[in-house]
Amino acid sequence: SWLPLLGPWVSIRNLVKIYSSGGKIAVNGLSLDFYEGQITSFLGHNGAGKTTTMSILTGLLDICSDMDIIRRTMGVCPQHNVLFDILTVEEHIWFYGRLKGLSGVQVREEMEQIIQDVGLPHKRRDQTKNLSGGMQRKLSVAIAFVGGSKVVILDEPTAGVDPYSRRGIWDLLLKYRTGRTVILSTHYMDEADLLGDRVAIISQGRLCCCGSSLFLKTKLGTGYYLTLVKREAGRGLGKEPCLRLNPAQGKDPVKVTVHP
Ligand SMILES: Nc1ncnc2c1ncn2[C@@H]1O[C@H](COP(=O)(O)OP(=O)(O)O)[C@@H](O)[C@H]1O
Ligand SMILES: [Mg+2]
């Protein structure tokens, strides 16, 4: 039946992780669902428990059963790039594609497409040690999608990346989200907002809230939106307010007059 397809692809229930070194409760009773065709932004400050949760989901920590089956349909971009210095961009895609079980022909097709989409065609035969940080990050994100990964886990894919490459990674994620369950951790609110079909906010290992950004903004939005109106030169600047602060929740708008 079609009903089970609507259910979550990844479900976390009451996850707890206490590191033996230091006895720190890194994840504290976390319950969360991730759905197909959606990017779920996992938003939280440094040390909130994002990497720990993702490490458990990917089997790097603690989980030791069924990982072989799970990994066939899982793609991962870890927080720190894991690339082979002397392999080229093409060789990385080929290597991971073959690991995932693609045939030689399939991997070649997919390589072509993904290298275009990730914007690295001019670097395809460069060894990764000669790529910029942003390019290495893009390659790491691309690798997570290779071989038809259905569940894609990306740990701060845009950390330390320049704004242009960051934009490129966003476009890639939006294009590749169809038919996949994408879990993306970030501490950028704009990124979580723009990419996430749903945003899950985590702090000190606990889920604070989860929902679409519209829902979160309506429910919790305080403060103001700042609208800037640019006037043409010489047309009554100063007579009318140029800046308006629109309250997020039913309060009166605050007008700020800008004097020339
Ligand atoms: N290997 C480890 N040993 C002990 N404590 C750790 C380890 N890894 C992470 N922690 C602690 O667990 C908490 C959550 O860390 P982490 O999951 O890396 O957060 P995030 O990815 O959200 O920045 C932090 O307080 C961190 O110091
Ligand atoms: Mg982390």
Side-chain angles (χ1 to χ4, degrees), residues 160-173:
V161 165
D162 69 78
Y164 181 75
S165 303
R166 197 166 163 231
R167 188 77 237 181
I169 292 177
W170 289 0
D171 291 340
L172 183 81
L173 299 185

Side-chain angles (χ1 to χ4, degrees), residues 78-93:
Q79 185 166 345
H80 302 288
N81 295 330
V82 185
L83 299 171
F84 303 96
D85 275 359
I86 55 163
L87 294 190
T88 65
V89 170
E90 274 186 345
E91 286 162 350
H92 273 89
I93 307 277

Side-chain angles (χ1 to χ4, degrees), residues 19-22 24-27 44-53 79 155-156:
Y19 283 105
S20 49
S21 56
K24 165 96 191 170
I25 306 178
V27 181
H45 58 82
N46 286 329
K50 305 183 293 295
T51 300
T52 304
T53 307
Q79 185 166 345
D155 198 356
E156 300 198 24

Side-chain angles (χ1 to χ4, degrees), residues 9-241:
W9 269 67
V10 179
S11 230
I12 301 176
R13 284 294 172 275
N14 227 345
L15 183 69
V16 176
K17 171 69 187 173
I18 301 171
Y19 283 105
S20 49
S21 56
K24 165 96 191 170
I25 306 178
V27 181
N28 192 356
L30 186 72
S31 297
L32 192 55
D33 290 328
F34 304 94
Y35 294 87
E36 188 185 354
Q38 289 194 345
I39 297 176
T40 305
S41 300
F42 204 32
L43 177 68
H45 58 82
N46 286 329
K50 305 183 293 295
T51 300
T52 304
T53 307
M54 290 177 147
S55 302
I56 293 169
L57 288 179
T58 50
L60 291 173
L61 285 175
D62 298 338
I63 296 194
C64 20
S65 62
D66 299 327
M67 274 326 290
D68 289 349
I69 300 167
I70 293 170
R71 285 202 179 116
R72 272 182 223 161
T73 53
M74 178 181 267
V76 183
C77 168
Q79 185 166 345
H80 302 288
N81 295 330
V82 185
L83 299 171
F84 303 96
D85 275 359
I86 55 163
L87 294 190
T88 65
V89 170
E90 274 186 345
E91 286 162 350
H92 273 89
I93 307 277
W94 186 87
F95 177 71
Y96 283 100
R98 295 289 280 165
L99 264 190
K100 281 284 185 59
L102 295 185
S103 70
V105 178
Q106 286 171 321
V107 89
R108 219 150 277 286
E109 269 170 32
E110 189 156 333
M111 184 193 292
E112 227 20 76
Q113 185 65 48
I114 211 153
I115 287 181
Q116 290 296 331
D117 288 339
V118 85
L120 292 173
H122 55 302
K123 295 285 176 188
R124 58 196 307 155
R125 297 206 170 85
D126 285 21
Q127 292 180 331
T128 53
K129 66 178 174 200
N130 298 329
L131 299 182
S132 73
M135 291 171 182
Q136 290 182 355
R137 205 69 192 130
K138 278 184 179 174
L139 176 60
S140 298
V141 173
I143 285 170
F145 286 97
V146 166
S149 313
K150 294 291 278 178
V151 175
V152 180
I153 297 183
L154 308 162
D155 198 356
E156 300 198 24
T158 63
V161 165
D162 69 78
Y164 181 75
S165 303
R166 197 166 163 231
R167 188 77 237 181
I169 292 177
W170 289 0
D171 291 340
L172 183 81
L173 299 185
L174 291 171
K175 179 170 177 192
Y176 279 58
R177 119 185 100 174
T178 321
R180 307 177 203 254
T181 307
V182 182
I183 307 174
L184 168 132
S185 79
T186 180
H187 54 240
Y188 294 113
M189 288 179 80
D190 60 338
E191 182 166 285
D193 185 14
L194 195 131
L195 292 179
D197 298 287
R198 291 189 319 136
V199 182
I201 303 177
I202 175 176
S203 174
Q204 293 174 1
R206 286 186 160 277
L207 184 72
C208 300
C209 49
C210 179
S212 69
S213 30
L214 189 68
F215 167 80
L216 294 176
K217 281 176 192 167
T218 325
K219 195 90 182 152
L220 307 163
T222 54
Y224 297 89
Y225 299 114
L226 177 63
T227 315
L228 289 169
V229 184
K230 185 169 172 273
R231 285 183 189 286
E232 286 169 38
R235 287 193 55 204
L237 189 69
K239 286 185 189 145
E240 298 261 341

